[in-house]
Amino acid sequence: LKTEPAVSGDGRKIGLLANVELPDDSKEAAEVGAEGIGLYRTEFLYMNREEMPGEEEQLAAYRRVLRAMEGPVTIRTLDLGADKTLGQGRGQATSSNPALGLRAIRLCLKETDLFRVQLRALLRASAEGDVRVMLPMISNIQELRQTRHLIDELMTELKAQGLPFNPNLPVGAMIEVPAAALAAPLLARYADFFSLGTNDLIQYTLAMDRVDDEINYLYDPLHPAVLRLIKLTIDAGAAAGIPVAMCGEMASDRRYTRLLLGLGLTEFSMHPANILEVKRLIMQSDVAALARRVDDILTSTDALEYRELLDLSLIHI
C-alpha cells in the first residue's frame, strides 16, 4: 500500500498527508507514503523555555521538515492559548474560559513582534520548498486580511535585504469555529486553501469541552450540525476553486472515512500510523455512491432514520 496511489474504486484521487509534531516525525510520514505534510505544529518551538525562538532557529526547524519530506508542507502558525501557554509576561493573563480567549491567531495578531519573527522564518523557508502557511482559529475576514498585510510588509523587508522567498506563498485558514464554516464562502476570497480542524469545530459547535469528563459524552462528530458545517466548508472551497483538507482527528478515524468521502472531502491529513488503514478503505470505496447516500443523510429529519442511514454509509458502501 505504501507505493499505491489513494484512488477510490470509482477512480477518485484522494490526497493523504500527515500531521507531525516535530521535525523528525516527517521521516515516519515519508516511510508510509504520505504525499506531504497537512499539519506541522510549531508550538514545540515555544513551550517549556524562557526565551522565545529566534528567526534562525525556526528557519532551521522548517528546513529539516522540507528536506525530509517530498510534497507540500503545511505549517500552522503558533497555536498557543487555552491549554498551551507562552508563560508569564507574554500577554496571556488568566482567562475564565481560555478556550474562548486570547489564543492562536488572536494572540499572534496582538503579539505582532512574536508573529513577525515566525512569518519571516516561514517566508524564508518557502524559498527552499513547497511551504504553505495555515492560520489557526480564524473567525473573521479581518484576521485573514491583517495577516496578509503583515506578510506583504515582511516580503518587502526580505526583498530589501536580498533574502529569497516565494512571492506566491499560499496562505490558508483553519476552519475550526462555526463562524468560519458559516462564512466560508466569504473567507475563500482571502484564503488559498481551507483545512478543517474538527477537534475544535465539534466542541465549539456543540458548546462542550471535550476534555471535561462530565460532558464528553456530548462530543459527537456525527451530529447533524457538525456534518452540515463540514459540508458547507467543502462546498465553499469547491465553488471558489480552492482545496479543502481535514487535519482533525476525524480524518484519521476509519469509522468516518466513507462518510467524509461522501461529503466531498478529497484531502485527509492524519497521524502517519493511520495512513495505510485509511488508504485501503478509500481504495475499496465508491465515492459517487457515497455522495448520493450522504445527500439523504443531510436531508433526514428523523433521528432514527438519520442514524440508520449513517450506519449504512459508514459500513456498507
Side-chain angles (χ1 to χ4, degrees):
L1 283 173
K2 291 179 182 179
T3 58
E4 290 290 320
V7 178
S8 70
D10 59 337
R12 310 291 181 93
K13 176 68 178 72
I14 305 298
L16 287 181
L17 300 97
N19 296 346
V20 299
E21 294 272 0
L22 302 169
D24 291 341
D25 292 345
S26 54
K27 296 176 183 177
E28 182 184 357
E31 288 172 359
V32 295
E35 299 168 35
I37 302 298
L39 168 62
Y40 174 54
R41 301 177 176 93
T42 58
E43 291 74 46
F44 80 96
L45 288 164
Y46 295 82
M47 298 179 70
N48 302 316
R49 57 188 295 170
E50 294 295 325
E51 298 294 326
M52 293 299 99
E55 182 177 325
E56 296 300 329
E57 180 183 347
Q58 294 192 52
L59 178 59
Y62 305 149
R63 281 172 171 163
R64 283 170 61 191
V65 178
L66 287 167
R67 290 167 183 166
M69 192 76 211
E70 293 185 11
V73 175
T74 303
I75 302 177
R76 184 178 68 187
T77 58
L78 185 59
D79 187 12
L80 290 181
D83 58 336
K84 305 185 291 290
T85 63
L86 278 172
Q88 296 180 351
R90 299 298 308 184
Q92 283 190 279
T94 302
S95 170
S96 59
N97 193 337
L100 299 179
L102 187 64
R103 57 169 296 199
I105 192 63
R106 300 170 181 177
L107 173 65
C108 288
L109 290 175
K110 180 180 179 183
E111 297 276 330
T112 52
D113 289 344
L114 185 77
F115 201 23
R116 289 173 69 91
V117 172
Q118 181 171 43
L119 291 176
R120 276 182 58 98
L122 288 169
L123 279 164
R124 291 175 62 189
S126 73
E128 303 182 34
D130 188 359
V131 171
R132 305 175 186 184
V133 173
M134 184 161 67
L135 308 176
M137 205 182 173
I138 290 292
S139 60
N140 60 63
I141 291 171
Q142 185 61 21
E143 290 163 342
L144 267 174
R145 294 177 65 179
Q146 282 183 255
T147 302
R148 283 197 170 277
H149 180 70
L150 188 54
I151 289 172
D152 288 342
E153 286 184 2
L154 294 174
M155 285 183 177
T156 301
E157 277 186 16
L158 292 172
K159 186 175 181 179
Q161 294 168 357
L163 296 172
F165 59 89
N166 175 11
N168 299 309
L169 175 70
V171 178
M174 287 194 75
I175 306 299
E176 49 191 341
V177 297
L182 292 169
L186 302 175
L187 291 173
R189 300 176 189 177
Y190 300 92
D192 297 311
F193 63 90
F194 287 148
S195 187
L196 285 150
T198 52
N199 302 356
D200 273 334
L201 182 62
I202 294 166
Q203 72 169 353
Y204 287 137
T205 300
L206 303 182
M208 53 78 60
D209 184 348
R210 61 194 174 98
V211 298
D212 185 335
D213 291 338
E214 294 290 331
I215 58 170
N216 60 15
Y217 68 92
L218 292 171
Y219 187 83
D220 182 12
L222 303 180
H223 191 288
V226 172
L227 297 187
R228 286 174 180 272
L229 291 174
I230 291 171
K231 179 64 171 170
L232 181 62
T233 302
I234 293 170
D235 288 349
I242 65 173
V244 178
M246 179 180 289
C247 60
E249 290 176 10
M250 195 174 177
S252 66
D253 192 327
R254 66 187 305 276
R255 293 176 297 173
Y256 309 131
T257 301
R258 286 179 166 154
L259 176 62
L260 294 172
L261 290 170
L263 287 167
L265 189 68
T266 58
E267 190 170 301
F268 295 65
S269 187
M270 64 195 72
H271 190 282
N274 300 107
I275 286 178
L276 296 180
E277 188 176 51
V278 170
K279 182 187 284 190
R280 174 177 287 135
L281 195 54
I282 289 169
M283 294 169 70
Q284 297 170 348
S285 298
D286 183 327
V287 174
L290 288 167
R292 291 191 293 271
R293 179 62 54 78
V294 166
D295 284 341
D296 293 337
I297 292 171
L298 294 178
T299 57
S300 173
T301 58
D302 180 88
L304 181 59
E305 178 191 41
Y306 174 79
R307 285 293 169 178
E308 289 174 350
L309 288 168
L310 275 173
D311 289 342
L312 287 170
S313 290
L314 296 173
I315 299 170
H316 298 300
I317 296 181

